[in-house]
C-alpha cells in the first residue's frame, strides 16, 4: 500500500517562544525551525511499514513556506520516497490544511495517512480527525501501536484511562502519539541520497480550496506569571510552610 | 441561543469534568443541553439530569456508543447539531477524538482547549505549550469548542433536567472496538485531584515510584503523575503523563519529584495553586515555577516527607 505522511514545519521544541511586545503574535524572527516532533514519529512509522513490506511507497507532503523543503528533505533522509510541497505564506488553519490534504489524497490515493497528533506551535490537535471526516475514513488517533491485520488496521490508542485498541477499515487515518516509536536519525549518506529524491512544488492557492481563516487572532498575550517562590532548607520547614503558610495539607 | 455539551463518562459514572464544561458552556450563553451517548448508560443520564443549569439531557443508548468511538459519535452529534449555536466538550481524549471530526463535517474551524470565554464568539486558548495565550474570535455561525476543564469552576449538582431519548440508528460501521487496558487505581483521578505527587526520570524504575512516591501520595490522598521521561521509560503507564501532550492538571498542591521542569511538562501543571519541587540540581528550571523548592536527593527526603506530613 501507499502511505502519505503530512509534516509541518514548526518552531523547534527546545525554543521558549516569546510574545511580541505589541501583542499581535509570538515572535518567530530568527528562531530555530524543525519538523513537528509528532510528524517525525509519523514518518518513522511509515518507513518501518515499508521496511516490513507492508507499504510500498511513502510520500511526504507539507503545506507551508518554501523553507518547508528542509523538513521534506529530512523525511526523505529518514526513508520517505518522494515529497510534495504546497507553498503558501499564509498561516493556514487546520480546516484549510485538512481540505488541501483531502485534495492530495484524491490525487495520490494512499491506503493510509499517518500524521502527528498535534502540531506543537498552535497545539490544536485536530487536522487528522478533520481529514478523516472529509474523506469519511475511520481514524486511529493518539496511536502507540499500529498493526495491519488482514484488511483491517489495528491501532492502539493512548486514552485518558489507559490504552484502547480499535480495528479500522482501510483506507484510514492514523495520528501518532509519543510512544509509537523512536524516530531514527538520518545518516549522512541518506541525507545525501535524499537530495536526489523527487520533490514537487505546487501553490496551495491552485487547489481551488477555501483557505480563508475562520478565526481572527485578536491578541496574543503572556501567560500569567507565577510569583517567585522560596527555597526551603529542610523537610521540616517544607511541611511547616505547607501547613501554616499555604494551608494546602 | 442554545449550547450542546457532550458529556464525558464511562457508561457507569459521569466524569467530574462535565460540571466544569457546563460552566464554560453557560458563559457562552443560552440554554445548555447535555448529550449522554453510551451503552446501558441510563444511570449516567440520570446523574446528568442533576447537573445544575442544564435544560435537558439527550440520551442516546446503543452498543455503537459504548466506547464513544469517533465515527459513530460524530455522526450522532452532527445529526443533533442543527438546533444548536455551539457544540462543546471537554478536551479529554474522547473530546479531542470526535470533536474535530464533528467540526469538519459542519465545515467549522474548531477552537481547541479554551481556558476562558470572553463572549459568545471570542475565546482564550494557550498556544506554544502555554508560553502564550491567544484570544481568538470565530466567524463560524456554529461554534465547535473543546474546553480545558481545569480552567473553569464546577457548577452544582442540584439540577432537575428532563431526559429525552435521541439517536438516529445510523452507524458508519468503518471502525470497531477491539480491546482496552485501563489503569485501575483507588487513588483520585489525576485530572481532578486536589493534590498530585509526580515523579520524573530520576526515580529510575517503577519500584522506586512504589517506594518513594506512592507512600506520600497515599498519606495525602493524592493522585500520582509522571513526566514524559518516566512514562517513556516504562516506570508508569501513559495515562499518568502530565504536560503539553499529556494531561493538564491544576490541583491545590502539585509536588514535582525528580522532574527537571521542561516547558512541555510545565504546560501541564503551572496553573496549580501551590507547587513544590524536590530536585538535587538547584539550577533545575522547575524551581522557577515552584512556590517551595527543596534542593535535595529525593531518595533521602521522600521517606522523611512522608513521615512528616
Ligand atoms: C513533542 C514533545 C512533547 C512532550 N510532551 C511532554 C509532556 O506532555 N510531559 C512531559 O513531562 N514531558 C514532555 N516532553 C518531554 C520534555 O521535553 C522533557 O524531556 C521531560 O519532561 C523530562 O522529564 P524529566 O524531568 O522526568 O527528566 P529529566 O529532564 O531527565 O530530569 C530529571 C531531573 O531529576 C533530577 N534528579 C536526578 N536525580 C535526582 C535525585 N536523586 N533526587 C532529586 N532529583 C534528582 C535531575 O536534577 C533532573 O532535573 C515532550 C517532549 C516533546 C519533544
Ligand atoms: N501545514 C501543514 N502541513 C502538513 N501537515 C500538517 C500541517 N498542519 C498540520 N499538519 C499535520 O496535522 C497534524 C496535527 O496538526 P494540528 O491539528 O495543527 O495540531 C500535524 O502533526 C501534521 O501531521
Amino acid at each position: 500500500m501507499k502511505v502519505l505522511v503530512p509534516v509541518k514545519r514548526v518552531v523547534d521544541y527546545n525554543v521558549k517562544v516569546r510574545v511580541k511586545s505589541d501583542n499581535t503574535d509570538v515572535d518567530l524572527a530568527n528562531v530555530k525551525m524543525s519538523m513537528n516532533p509528532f510528524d517525525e514519529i509519523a514518518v518513522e512509522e511509515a518507513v518501518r511499514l515499508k521496511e516490513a513490506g507492508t507499504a510500498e511507497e511513502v510520500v511526504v507532503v507539507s503545506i507551508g513556506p518554501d523553507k518547508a523543503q528542509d523538513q521534506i528533505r529530512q523525511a526523505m533522509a529518514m526513508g520517505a520516497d518522494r515529497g510534495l510541497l504546497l507553498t503558501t505564506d499564509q498561516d493556514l488553519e487546520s480546516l484549510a490544511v485538512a481540505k488541501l490534504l483531502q485534495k492530495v489524497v484524491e490525487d495520490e490515493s494512499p491506503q493510509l495517512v499517518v500524521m502527528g497528533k498535534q502540531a506543537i506551535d498552535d497545539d490544536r490537535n485536530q487536522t487528522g480527525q478533520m481529514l478523516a471526516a472529509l474523506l469519511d475514513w475511520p481514524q486511529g488517533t493518539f496511536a502507540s501501536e499500529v498493526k495491519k491485520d488482514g484488511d483491517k488496521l489495528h491501532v492502539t490508542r493512548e486514552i485518558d484511562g489507559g490504552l484502547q485498541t480499535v480495528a479500522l477499515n482501510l483506507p484510514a487515518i492514523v495520528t501518532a502519539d509519543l510512544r509509537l516509536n523512536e524516530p531514527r536519525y538520518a545518516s549522512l549518506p541518506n541525507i545525501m541520497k535524499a537530495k536526489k529524491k523527487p520533490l514537487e512544488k505546487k501553490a496551495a492557492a491552485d487547489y481551488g480550496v477555501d483557505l480563508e481563516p475562520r478565526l481572527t487572532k485578536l491578541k496574543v498575550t503572556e501567560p500569567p506569571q507565577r510569583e517567585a517562590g522560596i527555597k526551603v532548607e529542610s523537610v521540616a520547614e517544607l511541611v511547616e510552610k505547607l501547613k501554616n503558610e499555604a494551608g494546602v495539607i | 441561543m442554545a449550547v450542546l455539551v457532550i458529556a464525558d463518562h464511562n457508561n457507569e459514572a459521569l466524569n467530574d469534568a462535565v460540571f466544569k464544561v457546563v460552566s464554560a458552556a453557560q458563559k457562552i450563553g443560552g440554554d445548555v443541553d447535555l448529550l449522554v451517548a453510551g451503552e446501558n448508560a441510563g444511570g449516567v443520564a440520570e446523574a446528568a439530569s442533576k447537573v445544575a443549569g442544564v435544560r435537558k439531557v439527550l440520551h442516546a443508548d446503543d452498543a455503537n456508543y459504548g466506547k464513544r468511538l469517533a465515527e459513530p459519535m460524530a455522526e450522532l452529534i452532527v445529526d443533533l447539531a442543527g438546533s444548536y449555536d455551539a457544540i462543546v466538550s471537554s478536551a479529554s481524549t474522547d473530546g479531542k477524538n470526535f470533536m474535530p471530526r464533528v467540526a469538519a463535517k459542519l465545515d467549522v474551524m474548531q477552537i481547541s482547549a479554551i481556558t476562558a470565554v470572553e463572549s459568545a464568539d471570542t475565546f482564550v486558548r494557550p498556544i506554544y505549550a502555554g508560553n502564550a495565550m491567544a484570544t481568538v474570535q470565530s466567524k463560524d455561525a456554529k461554534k465547535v469548542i473543546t474546553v480545558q476543564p481545569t480552567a473553569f469552576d464546577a457548577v452544582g449538582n442540584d439540577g432537575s433536567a428532563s431526559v429525552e431519548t435521541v439517536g438516529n440508528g445510523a452507524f458508519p460501521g468503518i471502525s470497531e472496538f477491539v480491546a482496552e487496558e485501563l489503569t485501575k487505581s483507588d487513588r483520585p483521578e489525576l485530572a481532578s485531584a486536589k493534590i498530585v505527587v509526580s515523579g520524573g526520570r530520576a526515580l529510575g524504575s517503577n519500584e522506586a515510584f512504589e517506594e518513594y512516591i506512592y507512600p506520600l501520595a497515599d498519606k495525602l490522598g493524592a493522585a500520582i503523575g509522571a513526566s514524559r521521561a518516566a512514562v517513556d521509560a516504562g516506570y508508569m503507564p501513559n495515562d499518568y503523563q502530565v504536560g503539553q501532550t499529556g494531561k493538564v492538571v491544576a490541583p491545590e498542591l502539585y509536588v514535582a519529584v525528580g522532574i527537571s521542569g521542561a516547558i512541555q511538562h510545565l504546560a501541564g501543571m503551572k496553573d496549580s495553586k501551590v507547587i513544590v519541587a524536590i530536585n538535587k540540581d538547584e539550577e533545575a528550571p522547575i524551581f522557577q515555577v515552584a512556590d517551595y523548592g527543596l534542593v535535595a536527593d529525593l531518595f533521602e527526603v521522600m521517606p522523611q516527607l512522608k513521615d512528616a506530613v
Side-chain angles (χ1 to χ4, degrees), chain B residues 103-155:
Chain B
K105 288 202 178 259
L106 296 172
D107 194 31
V108 169
M109 175 63 194
Q110 172 182 285
I111 310 153
S112 303
I114 61 163
T115 53
V117 177
E118 302 274 285
S119 73
D121 66 2
T122 304
F123 310 92
V124 180
R125 56 179 305 269
I127 54 176
Y128 293 91
N131 283 317
M133 306 300 289
T135 304
V136 296
Q137 182 173 33
S138 168
K139 287 182 228 165
D140 285 313
K142 222 184 264 300
K143 319 283 185 271
V144 176
I145 297 166
T146 62
V147 171
Q148 188 51 255
T150 52
F152 296 88
D153 292 326
V155 297

Side-chain angles (χ1 to χ4, degrees), chain A residues 19-37:
Chain A
V19 172
K20 282 187 187 165
S21 54
D22 65 359
N23 290 123
T24 51
D25 212 333
V26 294
D27 190 359
L28 293 183
N30 305 317
V31 304
K32 184 176 176 208
M33 303 295 281
S34 298
M35 192 193 307
N36 182 40

Side-chain angles (χ1 to χ4, degrees), chain B residues 209-246:
Chain B
F209 265 84
E210 286 178 9
E211 195 176 336
Y212 295 95
I213 302 289
Y214 291 20
L216 177 67
D218 289 342
K219 206 152 166 207
L220 295 173
I224 290 172
S227 71
R228 174 195 173 179
V231 175
D232 280 4
Y235 308 158
M236 294 301 283
N238 62 280
D239 47 307
Y240 285 75
Q241 182 181 313
V242 170
Q244 177 190 19
T245 60

Side-chain angles (χ1 to χ4, degrees), chain A residues 6 11 22 35-37 40 68-69 73 76 80 85 92 94 124 136 142 161 168 200 218 226-227 247:
Chain A
V11 63
D22 65 359
M35 192 193 307
N36 182 40
E40 275 186 59
Q69 284 187 59
R73 291 281 174 213
M76 293 195 293
L85 173 61
L92 296 181
S94 311
R124 291 189 285 228
D136 262 319
F142 328 141
L168 309 178
E200 192 184 354
L218 299 181
R226 293 189 72 92
E227 274 178 43

Side-chain angles (χ1 to χ4, degrees), chain B residues 210-282:
Chain B
E210 286 178 9
E211 195 176 336
Y212 295 95
I213 302 289
Y214 291 20
L216 177 67
D218 289 342
K219 206 152 166 207
L220 295 173
I224 290 172
S227 71
R228 174 195 173 179
V231 175
D232 280 4
Y235 308 158
M236 294 301 283
N238 62 280
D239 47 307
Y240 285 75
Q241 182 181 313
V242 170
Q244 177 190 19
T245 60
K247 283 185 182 142
V248 176
V249 302
E252 299 277 301
L253 173 62
Y254 187 89
V255 186
V257 183
I259 293 178
S260 61
I263 48 174
Q264 292 85 5
H265 189 80
L266 301 186
M269 45 65 78
K270 70 179 163 52
D271 292 328
S272 305
K273 191 163 154 253
V274 174
I275 296 174
V276 169
I278 297 174
N279 196 304
K280 70 175 182 191
D281 172 12
E282 64 175 314

Side-chain angles (χ1 to χ4, degrees), chain A residues 51-184:
Chain A
E51 287 168 349
T54 312
E56 284 87 49
E57 193 186 19
V58 177
V59 182
V60 180
V61 56
S62 190
I63 301 164
D66 210 49
K67 277 275 190 192
Q69 284 187 59
D70 298 351
Q71 282 66 45
I72 296 179
R73 291 281 174 213
Q74 183 194 341
M76 293 195 293
M78 290 171 69
D81 297 293
R82 60 190 173 83
L84 174 63
L85 173 61
L86 310 194
T87 52
T88 173
D89 288 325
Q90 249 178 296
D91 186 12
L92 296 181
E93 291 176 349
S94 311
L95 186 61
V97 171
K99 287 178 179 179
L100 286 168
L101 291 176
Q102 180 187 16
K103 296 284 181 196
V104 173
V105 166
E106 284 163 8
D107 292 345
E108 294 279 347
S109 311
Q111 278 282 90
L112 177 64
V113 180
V114 188
M115 48 209 287
K117 83 161 177 181
Q118 177 172 338
I120 59 160
D121 47 5
D122 279 306
D123 285 333
R124 291 189 285 228
N125 191 334
Q126 50 177 301
T127 309
Q129 299 87 315
M130 287 185 153
L131 178 60
L134 298 175
L135 294 164
D136 262 319
W137 289 8
Q139 62 192 54
T141 51
F142 328 141
S144 65
E145 197 182 345
V146 175
K147 264 196 311 221
K148 193 157 178 276
D149 186 15
D151 56 356
K152 303 257 186 198
L153 195 72
H154 282 237
V155 179
T156 301
R157 310 178 50 234
E158 293 201 356
I159 60 170
D160 286 340
L163 295 170
Q164 177 191 68
T165 305
V166 291
L168 309 178
N169 289 3
L170 287 166
I173 308 280
V174 167
T175 76
D177 214 320
L178 292 171
R179 282 162 285 273
L180 182 56
N181 60 50
E182 223 175 287
R184 71 193 67 188

